[in-house]
Amino acid sequence: MTVIPFPSVRFSDDDLAVFERIASPMLKRGLWAAVRRDTAPGHDRMVVEIPEVPKPLFTFERGRGGRYRLLLHEHDGGVYEIGRGTEATECLAIWDRTPRPGERGAM
């Protein structure tokens, strides 16, 4: 049997499910215009575009070391890291509105 290793730069199915849970309502409400995936040998990225803005506003990426980053692209060209982590949920916590155990609204 041959085992093909999963590249550490690629989003896993779980990573994509976490991102989809956040992105879907944003797209449905029209707050985000589009999300596109950009995959290369050194990264895997989800690029978020908003209505009537020609450049991406956010980039969620997984790099060579398997770490995640969430970047904000300012209109003046500045790029700021607004999230990071060893897991997608940790990196995207700034957007995640799912109640945690012990928080109001949690089951």
Side-chain angles (χ1 to χ4, degrees), residues 9-11 37-39 42-46 60-62:
V9 300
R10 299 280 300 191
F11 289 125
R37 190 170 183 176
D38 173 27
T39 302
H43 68 263
D44 200 359
R45 295 181 178 139
M46 301 303 283
F60 170 54
E61 68 180 20
R62 187 170 187 190

Side-chain angles (χ1 to χ4, degrees), residues 56-61 68-84 91 94-95:
L57 182 62
F58 297 106
T59 303
F60 170 54
E61 68 180 20
Y68 300 87
R69 296 188 325 152
L70 179 60
L71 305 171
L72 168 66
H73 302 269
E74 292 282 346
H75 66 279
D76 63 2
V79 178
Y80 303 94
E81 185 178 274
I82 60 172
R84 77 165 60 183
C91 181
I94 192 170
W95 286 337

Side-chain angles (χ1 to χ4, degrees), residues 93-107:
I94 192 170
W95 286 337
D96 192 359
R97 302 290 184 234
T98 304
R100 304 285 182 247
E103 292 180 341
R104 187 171 19 172
M107 296 183 168

